[in-house]
Amino acid sequence: TRPDRPFRAPHRGSEPAPIAPRLGPRCPARPARKAVVMSSTLVVTPGRVSGSAEARRIRREEKIPAVIYGQGMEPVSVIVDRRDLRLALSGAAGTNTILEIKVEGNVYPAVIKDLQRHPVRRTVAHVDFLRINMNEELTIAVPVRLVGEAKAVLSEGGLVDASEDTIDIVTTPANMPSEISIDVSAMQPGEVIRLGQITLPAGTRALGDPDLAIVTALAGSKAEEAPAPAAPAAGDAAAAPAAGDKPKS
């Protein structure tokens, strides 16, 4: 399963280099919309959980142990109401939502760094909140959404497949997009849209290999079942002179 780790770390010089500008046609896409900062307020209570028995008791009360850290602050252990967390993340940005965490009169702008889940029930068992600076770049995994209908592909019985569910981008919290929309309307069977061809929203840049396949148009059964050239009839074959034979006068 894919881990719930939308954020990697603040972007530093040791991060993979962002992709270089790529010449040639870019992916047909809708005009990039201005990023809208998705933020929610989350009120938590201070509290350190000691031992698995206490952690189980807290979770039975529909609460989740959590920790806030980052930006040089001492880690702060808190307890989050499960319903409040679900509501805070219910917007379009999902787990990429910027949270204003309130605890004992302090307010911390933060994002979810890690969601630890129960191995069987898959419910959230612990949350790591990363305190952020609104002017500092972060590496974030943004979901890919395909828009439009590739009629040329569908008419051949093929399909359009997103090879990657997310794209890693570097951006500031103020420019964080909730998704990357890719228009597949003009795709042809066998065509591939690569990372370096995608138009990203303003204030963002991608990480990774520009040749990484993001969307692939798979050829269908109709293209595979193209009729072979017809074989000559038996009479025509007999009438044709053999190679090297001279035609009779």
Side-chain angles (χ1 to χ4, degrees), residues 19 21 76 89 100 107 125 146 154 175 204 223-224:
I19 64 172
V76 177
L89 303 179
E100 293 184 354
V107 179
L146 306 185
L154 298 177
N175 289 315
T204 67
E224 296 172 356

Coordinates of all heavy atoms in Angstrom, one line a residue, residues 19 21 76 89 100 107 125 146 154 175 204 223-224:
I19 N 13.5 19.5 -12.3 CA 13.7 19.3 -13.7 C 14.1 20.5 -14.5 O 13.7 21.6 -14.1 CB 12.4 18.7 -14.3 CG1 11.3 19.7 -14.3 CG2 12.1 17.4 -13.7 CD1 10.1 19.2 -15.0
P21 N 14.2 23.1 -17.8 CA 13.2 23.4 -18.9 C 13.4 22.5 -20.1 O 14.5 22.1 -20.5 CB 13.5 24.9 -19.2 CG 14.3 25.4 -18.1 CD 15.0 24.2 -17.5
V76 N 6.2 18.9 20.6 CA 5.0 19.1 21.6 C 4.1 17.9 21.4 O 3.5 17.7 20.3 CB 4.3 20.4 21.3 CG1 3.1 20.5 22.2 CG2 5.2 21.6 21.5
L89 N -9.5 17.8 7.4 CA -8.9 17.3 6.2 C -9.9 17.0 5.1 O -9.6 16.4 4.1 CB -8.1 16.1 6.4 CG -7.0 16.2 7.5 CD1 -6.3 14.8 7.7 CD2 -5.9 17.2 7.1
E100 N -3.9 25.2 11.0 CA -3.5 26.1 12.1 C -3.9 25.4 13.4 O -5.0 25.3 13.8 CB -4.3 27.4 12.0 CG -3.9 28.3 10.8 CD -4.7 29.6 10.7 OE1 -5.6 29.8 11.6 OE2 -4.4 30.4 9.8
V107 N -0.5 29.0 18.5 CA -0.9 28.6 17.1 C 0.3 28.2 16.3 O 1.2 29.0 16.1 CB -1.7 29.7 16.5 CG1 -2.2 29.3 15.1 CG2 -2.9 30.1 17.3
A125 N -3.6 5.8 13.8 CA -3.1 5.5 15.2 C -2.2 6.5 15.8 O -2.1 6.7 17.0 CB -2.4 4.1 15.2
L146 N -6.9 13.2 -14.3 CA -7.0 13.2 -15.8 C -8.4 13.8 -16.1 O -9.4 13.5 -15.5 CB -6.9 11.8 -16.3 CG -5.7 11.0 -15.9 CD1 -5.7 9.7 -16.7 CD2 -4.4 11.8 -16.2
L154 N -10.2 5.7 -27.3 CA -11.4 4.9 -27.0 C -12.0 4.2 -28.3 O -12.5 3.1 -28.2 CB -12.4 5.7 -26.3 CG -12.0 6.3 -25.0 CD1 -13.1 7.2 -24.4 CD2 -11.7 5.2 -24.0
N175 N 1.5 28.5 -2.5 CA 1.2 28.1 -3.8 C 0.9 26.7 -4.0 O 0.9 26.1 -5.1 CB 2.5 28.4 -4.7 CG 2.6 29.9 -4.9 OD1 1.7 30.6 -5.2 ND2 3.9 30.4 -4.7
T204 N 5.3 26.7 -8.8 CA 5.7 25.3 -8.5 C 6.6 24.7 -9.5 O 6.7 25.2 -10.7 CB 4.4 24.3 -8.5 OG1 3.9 24.3 -9.8 CG2 3.3 24.9 -7.6
A223 N -6.8 -2.1 -32.7 CA -5.5 -1.8 -33.3 C -4.7 -3.1 -33.5 O -4.0 -3.3 -34.4 CB -4.7 -0.8 -32.5
E224 N -4.8 -4.0 -32.5 CA -4.1 -5.3 -32.6 C -4.6 -6.2 -33.6 O -3.9 -7.1 -34.1 CB -4.1 -5.9 -31.2 CG -3.4 -5.1 -30.1 CD -3.6 -5.7 -28.7 OE1 -4.3 -6.7 -28.7 OE2 -3.0 -5.2 -27.8

